[in-house]
Amino acid sequence: MKESIHIKNLGPIKDVFIDDIKPITVLIGESGSGKSTLMKAIALFRWIYKMHNIRSYLKRSKVSKSPFRFRMDTYFKNCGFEQYLKNNPEITYSVEFSSGRKYVLHFSKNKLTGTSDNDLVHISDLQYNKLSFISETRNIIPLWADRGASLTGAYLGFYFHEVYNDFDLATESLKELDVNYLKLKLSVRKVQSNKKFFIQGSNKEYEIDLKNSSSGTQNAIPLSLIAEHFSKHFDFEEAFNRSLLIFLSKTDNWTDFKPVKNLGDIQKKLFIHIEEPELSLFPEAQCELISDLISKCFVNNLNSIDLIFSTHSPYIINHLNLLIKAYDCNQLIDGAKIDFDKLAVYQIENGRIESLIVQNQKIVNTNTLSDTINNIYDRFNQLK
């Protein structure tokens, strides 16, 4: 399966085209350059395509009445794109299979095309995907988890509640997690009727509530926990059946429903999107965190996962070259390695992207990321 996306006039993005979204896609750029906007747009259209697959599955299973509609105004509001609509953004997302069949979702002039009955996904191409968007607001999770019962009805934004739901789901299957790059261990325990989260030092010399841990720990723990859950513990069958139950309950076609395909025969994939994984972490821990993520998603995983993240960190981009070299040497760095052919790294600037991949050398070009250090050094030498 090959994914592509073309975005014009969406907030800070002027014109961005990614012909082939790689399994590991990394976005780097200045604050406000459009990294999160691009990643949210990719996640949104992946989600719309997922829903189009569910709709196609139901239609081909004799459920004639569609249980949902695609409401782009609501989706754009959830993404924080509502004010971008005045600039008439245009987004084209496509998925192409080796059979040559291609499915195209096109948004232009505030209208979405590509989801009608004439555009149904072929039975052979049906997919069931799970998407997770781990936002930068994840650092609120420890406090929210501790005080959530007293904050019933409070709303902290679409992305926070999405990532919190994934965190809560992960803590149902994972009661302990070694966070080696921080030399810590997370424990999840039932205290009365609530879940409580504790952090232990590597030698168990102390234990504190997660909400009282460092900012770097509070940012990193939800990320690693969610990645570990989706890597090894996510139950596609339960999630798929729950989705069908929800949609069928909205129709009067229960007796007509005749599954066109068994879940075991449907392609399945997980997509994880992360805003700034390095938040509040020391450079060495940033690199070890990336190794941990790559290990969970591509080395020690049971489920097929694609990973995309945005970053400000030149340390992380340089660390990718080490993981590429590790793959070529058939070795692991902190349990991780990267197949160069599965990696894309883009620098976002002035509303456009530039690939930092150097194909003939099999490296990521990090020269421009050293400019700040070089400028500091030059100014230092100029002082008399």
Side-chain angles (χ1 to χ4, degrees), residues 91-197:
I91 304 174
T92 303
Y93 171 84
S94 67
V95 175
E96 186 173 1
F97 290 88
S98 56
S99 63
R101 285 186 291 269
K102 187 175 184 179
Y103 305 93
V104 179
L105 302 175
H106 183 70
F107 178 78
S108 180
K109 298 179 180 178
N110 294 340
K111 291 184 178 180
L112 177 70
T113 58
T115 59
S116 70
D117 288 353
N118 295 326
D119 304 304
L120 293 180
V121 178
H122 191 275
I123 294 174
S124 300
D125 301 332
L126 285 170
Q127 294 181 301
Y128 182 73
N129 300 328
K130 165 63 183 175
L131 283 75
S132 180
F133 194 102
I134 305 177
S135 69
E136 62 183 357
T137 56
R138 61 186 178 271
N139 65 319
I140 308 173
I141 286 177
L143 182 60
W144 184 268
D146 186 71
R147 300 180 59 191
S150 63
L151 297 171
T152 302
Y155 185 70
L156 298 181
F158 175 79
Y159 286 105
F160 171 77
H161 290 280
E162 285 293 298
V163 71
Y164 182 78
N165 288 339
D166 286 341
F167 174 84
D168 191 48
L169 179 64
T171 56
E172 290 297 319
S173 60
L174 290 166
K175 302 305 178 186
E176 291 185 339
L177 181 68
D178 288 320
V179 188
N180 295 324
Y181 59 89
L182 296 178
K183 299 178 176 61
L184 299 173
K185 181 177 182 178
L186 171 73
S187 296
V188 183
R189 302 175 199 154
K190 282 281 187 178
V191 177
Q192 296 178 343
S193 60
N194 298 321
K195 282 185 285 191
K196 294 291 184 179
F197 307 94

Side-chain angles (χ1 to χ4, degrees), residues 191-332:
V191 177
Q192 296 178 343
S193 60
N194 298 321
K195 282 185 285 191
K196 294 291 184 179
F197 307 94
F198 301 94
I199 293 295
Q200 290 180 345
S202 56
N203 297 319
K204 298 184 179 180
E205 68 271 25
Y206 66 88
E207 181 177 87
I208 60 173
D209 290 344
L210 176 59
K211 68 176 182 178
N212 295 326
S213 63
S214 71
S215 58
T217 299
Q218 293 188 50
N219 275 296
I221 288 292
L223 195 162
S224 290
L225 190 72
I226 292 169
E228 177 72 12
H229 169 71
F230 287 132
S231 173
K232 300 182 179 69
H233 303 281
F234 181 71
D235 189 337
F236 273 101
E237 183 173 357
E238 190 276 335
F240 183 72
N241 290 336
R242 185 174 65 251
S243 295
L244 287 184
L245 180 63
I246 291 171
F247 295 127
L248 286 172
S249 66
K250 298 178 181 179
T251 73
D252 298 320
N253 301 90
W254 285 85
T255 56
D256 297 332
F257 178 63
K258 294 178 175 57
V260 69
K261 200 171 188 179
N262 294 325
L263 175 61
D265 300 324
I266 294 177
Q267 302 173 65
K268 296 173 279 290
K269 183 180 282 290
L270 282 151
F271 295 97
I272 297 179
H273 314 76
I274 306 171
E275 286 186 312
E276 300 176 35
E278 73 275 9
L279 285 174
S280 302
L281 291 178
F282 196 70
E284 183 177 357
Q286 294 179 24
C287 297
E288 292 176 357
L289 166 61
I290 295 305
S291 288
D292 183 68
L293 283 173
I294 296 298
S295 176
K296 285 177 168 56
C297 295
F298 299 97
V299 180
N300 295 307
N301 58 307
L302 298 179
N303 292 319
S304 177
I305 300 176
D306 278 13
L307 173 67
I308 177 170
F309 64 85
S310 63
T311 182
H312 291 121
S313 173
Y315 304 107
I316 286 178
I317 304 301
N318 278 280
H319 187 65
L320 297 176
N321 281 323
L322 180 61
L323 298 183
I324 293 168
K325 183 69 172 179
Y327 182 91
D328 290 341
C329 296
N330 197 27
Q331 297 181 32
L332 297 174

Side-chain angles (χ1 to χ4, degrees), residues 18 25-29 34-36 38-39 42 308-312 317 344-348 353:
I18 301 178
T25 299
V26 183
L27 310 173
I28 188 167
K35 302 184 300 299
S36 290
L38 175 55
M39 189 163 59
I42 291 172
I308 177 170
F309 64 85
S310 63
T311 182
H312 291 121
I317 304 301
V345 182
Y346 299 104
Q347 185 167 11
I348 304 181
I353 60 171

